[in-house]
Amino acid sequence: FTPCEDAALCEATGKAIAAFRARRPEQSERFWREALACAPGDGVAAVYLERIAALRTCAPGAPWRDAVELEKL
């Protein structure tokens, strides 16, 4: 974790992660897009957005992992 002084970015990121863990991908995506507006090219946001896109291809009710293993960016 890298400390961040951008309050809007920190808030959007925190809400995005919380929504993802609560299995609310649409809400999570919205917050990740807010984070990207604050920090274009944010690698963590890109990874989560890819995961959310992948979840959309799964059958409704299919199990999913809310933990995300990040690779070196």
Side-chain angles (χ1 to χ4, degrees):
F1 176 74
T2 304
C4 177
E5 295 183 16
D6 184 333
L9 176 59
C10 291
E11 182 177 354
T13 299
K15 288 180 176 180
I17 291 170
F20 189 84
R21 288 181 177 163
R23 298 188 168 143
R24 294 189 312 259
E26 293 82 13
Q27 185 179 33
S28 180
E29 180 179 13
R30 187 177 77 241
F31 289 125
W32 283 122
R33 299 228 179 263
E34 286 181 23
L36 282 174
C38 296
D42 183 90
V44 174
V47 169
Y48 271 97
L49 288 171
E50 286 177 16
R51 303 284 176 155
I52 291 167
L55 287 172
R56 288 194 172 109
T57 66
C58 296
W64 73 331
R65 293 180 45 214
D66 58 351
V68 175
E69 184 177 313
L70 300 177
E71 297 175 14
K72 290 184 180 181
L73 301 175

